[in-house]
Amino acid sequence: MFQITLEDIAGESQVERDWDVAIVGGGPAGLTAALYAGRSLRKAVVFEKLSIGGQIAVTDEVDNYPGIPSIKGPELAKRIEDHAKKFGAKIVFAEVQKLRKEGEGKFVLETTDGEFRAKAVIWATGAEPRKLGVPGEKEFTGRGVSYCAVCDGPFFKGKPVAVIGGGDSAFTEALYLSNIVSKLYLIHRRDEFRAQRIYVEQLKSKPNVEFLLNKVVVEFVGDKMLKGLRLKDTKTGEESFLEVAAAFVYIGLKPVNDVIKDFVDLDERGFALVGEDTKTKTPGLFVAGDGRVKHLRQVVTAVSDGAVAAIMADEYIREVEATGR
Ligand code: NAP
């Protein structure tokens, strides 16, 4: 039954403002950090601006999490969330817009729900889908152009669609879509794929899937809704038109690190240059998950980062407390 709590009525004033560990981002890395912080008996809060689960919340199936051969992405997200809550994690739905450090063990987070203070901060905002940046993409977003197959795929049941990209995301989401749509075109700018071979083989075996290789989308075309794509062959320069009802763009990820850019070294693409210990050049600030440079971006590496970051944060707080800074 829906219940209104005192906290709902009183609004922001009732929310606890002082925490040991503030975790920004409610994906697998952030939630696991909360779980581990809780197990270290640290008071941990997770800030999430939209919805819990990060990338897996919009992934149909996760088939490479050890011990769970197959699980729907949102179901796995819910399980990790419940697990973190079991160890006392609190989730606040607010966007962190600014970060300040006012001394060792003294971080201030300016959010859309007011200011919060924490002794350590774990930045686990991950990454968001990159855009192609070609004509029509913006105009037809939500009207045929999508970055989320699980959210929008069912609207195009029985219709022809395209998936753009040659990485794991393009292939896993194409596999999902191929079970719904009449025909699926996988459009990739090369004739080799970054995607794991198992996904490539699975997609190749689908009778309603056609690979359009060495092709790029130069324009999304339509009127009220998307009608098709203008393609260009990267080898011959020849242009063609492909009629589709929807196009799902999976061309990689862009890290969400703007707020921390003054506290952390970033590479040329904006990923945080931190190692396996998740430590940044700012003591007390850690980066976990897809937003840091790493060789493998998967749930299993995100949760690993979250666990490490929480232990590092606990160690940092202990040092600060011991030295009385
Ligand atoms: P990704 O691995 O970076 O692949 C991006 C793909 O988009 C590449 O094939 C790339 O082509 C293509 N691309 C990039 N810019 C383009 C442009 N302007 N025009 C046309 N094509 C363009 O990104 P992702 O597939 O989103 O995956 C992100 C991370 O999540 C990866 O580390 C991936 O392994 C991981 N992930 C894992 C799983 C899983 O294990 N089940 C599922 C999903 C994602 P080129 O190859 O030519 O550069």
Side-chain angles (χ1 to χ4, degrees):
M1 197 172 71
F2 184 72
Q3 281 188 328
I4 295 178
T5 64
L6 265 180
E7 201 170 277
D8 294 326
I9 298 164
E12 107 175 27
S13 59
Q14 291 297 307
V15 184
E16 172 66 58
R17 297 278 150 184
D18 291 285
W19 296 87
D20 291 328
V21 187
I23 297 152
V24 188
L31 293 172
T32 307
L35 191 165
Y36 272 74
R39 285 174 57 86
S40 301
L41 305 183
R42 294 292 178 192
K43 257 172 45 178
V45 61
V46 177
F47 293 101
E48 171 54 55
K49 70 170 178 181
L50 209 59
S51 57
I52 287 299
Q55 301 276 336
I56 56 165
V58 291
T59 298
D60 176 46
E61 192 188 343
V62 176
D63 67 353
N64 53 3
Y65 195 79
I68 309 178
S70 172
I71 187 168
K72 295 287 173 195
E75 165 67 14
L76 180 57
K78 181 79 179 76
R79 285 202 202 179
I80 305 175
E81 177 189 356
D82 290 346
H83 201 166
K85 282 182 172 166
K86 185 182 156 202
F87 286 103
K90 163 87 181 163
I91 294 169
V92 170
F93 284 95
E95 184 178 357
V96 176
Q97 297 175 317
K98 267 193 190 153
L99 181 67
R100 297 198 310 271
K101 187 175 181 186
E102 298 184 336
E104 289 311 327
K106 290 180 187 151
F107 287 92
V108 179
L109 298 101
E110 294 179 26
T111 83
T112 46
D113 189 18
E115 281 194 359
F116 289 79
R117 290 163 294 279
K119 294 173 184 164
V121 174
I122 297 172
W123 195 260
T125 50
E128 58 189 21
R130 285 183 56 220
K131 309 272 158 72
L132 271 171
V134 301
E137 183 176 21
K138 215 170 168 184
E139 195 184 337
F140 291 109
T141 294
R143 295 193 285 136
V145 175
S146 170
Y147 304 87
C148 178
V150 178
C151 322
D152 300 326
F155 294 118
F156 302 98
K157 191 175 171 202
K159 295 190 174 156
V161 307
V163 169
I164 300 144
D168 283 336
S169 299
F171 274 77
T172 50
E173 300 317 295
L175 277 166
Y176 161 71
L177 286 167
S178 66
N179 296 323
I180 301 177
V181 301
S182 59
K183 172 96 187 174
L184 186 140
Y185 300 95
L186 191 287
I187 301 168
H188 181 39
R189 64 182 176 185
R190 294 190 293 144
D191 55 8
E192 281 174 11
F193 307 109
R194 276 172 206 269
Q196 296 165 60
R197 273 172 54 198
I198 185 167
Y199 296 138
V200 177
E201 293 312 316
Q202 283 173 357
L203 197 66
K204 274 184 179 166
S205 74
K206 297 276 181 174
N208 61 339
V209 173
E210 186 177 335
F211 287 69
L212 299 178
L213 304 180
N214 301 314
K215 303 262 189 295
V216 288
V217 177
V218 288
E219 188 182 358
F220 292 91
V221 183
D223 40 44
K224 278 189 184 143
M225 293 293 287
L226 183 77
K227 290 266 188 295
L229 314 173
R230 204 152 60 76
L231 304 178
K232 189 174 178 178
D233 191 295
T234 53
K235 295 225 156 126
T236 63
E238 199 180 309
E239 288 203 3
S240 56
F241 184 78
L242 180 72
E243 214 178 295
V244 285
F248 295 86
V249 182
Y250 284 105
I251 59 154
L253 301 171
K254 197 171 72 159
V256 185
N257 286 336
D258 253 20
V259 170
I260 54 164
K261 65 180 189 305
D262 294 336
F263 300 97
V264 178
D265 290 324
L266 303 176
D267 76 0
E268 68 292 347
R269 292 181 304 158
F271 288 97
L273 284 161
V274 305
E276 220 175 300
D277 62 9
T278 75
K279 289 181 179 174
T280 69
K281 67 178 180 188
T282 304
L285 173 64
F286 307 86
V287 178
D290 282 357
R292 78 170 181 95
V293 285
K294 52 164 65 188
H295 296 292
L296 190 64
R297 290 194 172 83
Q298 300 196 347
V299 188
V300 74
T301 61
V303 299
S304 161
D305 275 9
V308 172
I311 299 301
M312 294 295 117
D314 179 50
E315 205 170 88
Y316 167 77
I317 295 170
R318 270 192 281 126
E319 273 169 26
V320 170
E321 286 171 346
T323 53
R325 280 184 287 176

